[in-house]
């Protein structure tokens, strides 16, 4: 007999009727009346049984680095806090800088605060203060060329206090909806369930109506893998993961973790929504993610320890890992064969791990 415990995801959506229930490899799947989303509860030991993972140092960068990607021709593409050029291609063997692009600064054609994202062979650099972005093909950068460099200033999002995550999508732009948010207790709700919004062909987004300014708590990570036909959305402070169809943007799967992030939300008098942890230290939550055709990774911190989950695109847990207490790596990247991952430590040290 399978005993079903009401999950936070179920409570959040006021689901009342359970129609199908199967247990597969320790993962609980549930479908509900009038809802085609598959709700999954990860095994109870998904976090507690995580295996310790150790890495080897690849290189140490001389400056604060936001992102690093190793290419198949033994080069490293970095986005760094350089006071000259922000994007650099480095020879992995010698450490020499082979190519640089994208000027730092407040002037026209420059970027003031680079915020890198990937999708999946495209480097996206967003500049929140200037509300602009630029795309680079990783193969072109590895070949020491930036290719066409067009700085895009999307329309229709100027009211946002923080630049939302934006990705290229079929000649348009796909953005996280900065106002798609509902607090677990339902007290803060913009009543907008569209996780993603699309621009038109002029790169302009529709105007959105909202009661609460929720962009601070509705950012998260987006893992878009067209070859898998899927997009994973990882909320920053909620203990669940959502999987969407890449073509229709329809939510397919909602995965609940067997832990509850000790976070709570409140709104200021002017509607700005903030988050704080109920426990000492930084808020529990997801840090980063990445994926390939067969699976995806998501990294989270819980009670001061960083964990990494490996799941297939059907929502099944494949393995889980934990880092040494106090380690808080960032910027997951994958080797071409999927056997290794790379992580940044202290925004200076690039390390390789075997999965």
């Amino acid at each position: 007999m399978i005993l079903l415990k009401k999950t936070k995801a179920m409570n959040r959506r006021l689901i009342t009727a359970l129609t199908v229930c199967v247990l597969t490899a320790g993962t609980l799947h549930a479908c509900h009346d009038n809802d085609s989303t598959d709700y999954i509860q990860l095994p109870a030991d998904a976090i507690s049984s995580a295996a310790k993972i150790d890495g080897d140092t690849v290189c140490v960068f001389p400056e604060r680095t936001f992102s690093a990607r190793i290419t198949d021709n033994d080069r490293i593409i970095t986005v760094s806090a350089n006071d000259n050029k922000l994007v650099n291609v480095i020879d992995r063997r010698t450490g020499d800088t082979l190519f640089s692009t994208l000027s730092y600064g407040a002037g026209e054609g420059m970027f003031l605060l680079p915020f890198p994202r990937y999708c999946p062979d495209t480097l996206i650099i967003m500049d929140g203060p200037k509300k602009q972005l630029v795309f680079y093909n990783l193969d072109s950068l590895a070949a020491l060329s930036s290719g066409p460099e067009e700085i895009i200033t999307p329309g229709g999002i100027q009211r946002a206090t923080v630049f939302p995550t934006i990705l290229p999508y079929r000649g348009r732009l796909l953005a996280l909806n900065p106002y798609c948010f509902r607090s677990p207790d339902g007290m803060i709700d913009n009543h907008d369930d569209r996780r993603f919004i699309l621009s038109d062909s002029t790169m302009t987004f529709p105007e959105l109506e909202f009661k609460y300014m929720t962009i601070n708590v509705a950012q998260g990570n987006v893992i878009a893998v067209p070859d898998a036909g899927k997009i994973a959305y990882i909320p920053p402070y909620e203990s669940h993961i959502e999987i969407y169809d890449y073509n229709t943007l329809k939510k397919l799967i909602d995965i609940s973790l067997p832990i509850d992030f000790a976070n709570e939300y409140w709104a200021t008098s002017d509607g700005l929504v903030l988050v704080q942890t109920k426990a000492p230290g930084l808020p529990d939550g997801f840090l980063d993610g990445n994926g390939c055709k067969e699976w995806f990774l998501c990294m989270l911190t819980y009670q001061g320890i960083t964990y990494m989950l490996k799941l297939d695109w059907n929502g099944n847990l494949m393995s889980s890992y934990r880092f040494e207490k106090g380690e808080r790596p960032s910027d997951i990247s994958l080797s071409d064969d999927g056997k290794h991952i790379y992580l940044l430590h202290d925004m200076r040290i690039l390390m390789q791990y075997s999965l």
Side-chain angles (χ1 to χ4, degrees), residues 55-67:
D56 299 310
T57 299
V58 175
C59 64
V60 179
F61 300 112
E63 57 201 2
R64 197 160 58 104
T65 301
F66 302 115
S67 175

Side-chain angles (χ1 to χ4, degrees), residues 87-268:
V87 179
N88 296 278
V89 182
I90 301 169
D91 188 305
R92 179 179 178 178
R93 294 160 296 186
T94 66
D96 295 337
T97 299
L98 306 176
F99 177 78
S100 300
T101 187
L102 195 59
S103 297
Y104 168 81
E108 185 177 353
M110 297 180 173
F111 274 55
L112 194 60
L113 182 61
F115 187 76
R117 282 283 185 259
Y118 295 86
C119 177
D121 57 355
T122 301
L123 166 61
I124 305 130
I125 300 182
M126 302 182 290
D127 187 336
K130 300 181 73 174
K131 289 187 168 58
Q132 62 185 13
L133 63 154
V134 64
F135 301 146
Y136 293 103
N137 180 272
L138 291 176
D139 291 336
S140 295
L141 287 173
L144 310 184
S145 168
S146 63
E149 190 173 282
E150 179 187 359
I151 295 177
I152 302 170
T153 303
I157 57 171
Q158 299 306 312
R159 292 189 298 168
T161 56
V162 180
F163 207 46
T165 297
I166 296 178
L167 309 174
Y169 184 85
R170 298 177 172 176
R172 300 187 179 191
L173 298 176
L174 176 73
L176 267 178
N177 182 352
Y179 308 116
C180 177
F181 179 80
R182 181 185 298 112
S183 61
D185 60 8
M187 299 300 293
I188 301 172
D189 190 353
N190 275 327
H191 301 286
D192 189 342
D193 294 327
R194 297 171 298 170
R195 179 62 64 196
F196 303 103
I197 51 174
L198 277 174
S199 76
D200 60 21
S201 58
T202 68
M203 310 302 175
T204 299
F205 289 96
E207 289 291 337
L208 301 176
E209 297 296 329
F210 62 92
K211 179 179 180 180
Y212 297 100
M213 181 67 74
T214 57
I215 193 166
N216 291 324
V217 294
Q219 277 292 309
N221 286 281
V222 178
I223 307 170
V225 183
D227 286 348
K230 302 285 176 45
I231 301 176
Y233 168 64
I234 308 176
Y237 306 116
E238 299 175 61
S239 51
H240 73 114
I241 302 163
E242 299 172 358
I243 297 178
Y244 291 79
D245 182 272
Y246 182 86
N247 298 306
T248 64
L249 303 181
K250 175 180 172 16
K251 186 163 75 168
L252 304 175
I253 302 171
D254 195 307
I255 307 165
S256 291
L257 274 61
I259 54 175
D260 186 12
F261 292 160
N263 301 321
E264 57 186 14
Y265 304 89
W266 81 97
T268 63

Side-chain angles (χ1 to χ4, degrees), residues 47 236-239 257 259-263 277 280-288 298-309 323-329:
I47 299 297
Y237 306 116
E238 299 175 61
S239 51
L257 274 61
I259 54 175
D260 186 12
F261 292 160
N263 301 321
T277 179
L282 296 172
D284 295 334
F286 286 102
L287 303 173
D288 200 4
C298 53
M299 193 159 54
L300 61 104
T301 179
Y302 177 63
Q303 297 183 347
I305 298 177
T306 298
Y307 298 89
M308 186 167 59
L309 305 178
F323 296 86
E324 196 71 52
K325 188 170 185 178
E327 287 186 324
R328 196 179 172 96

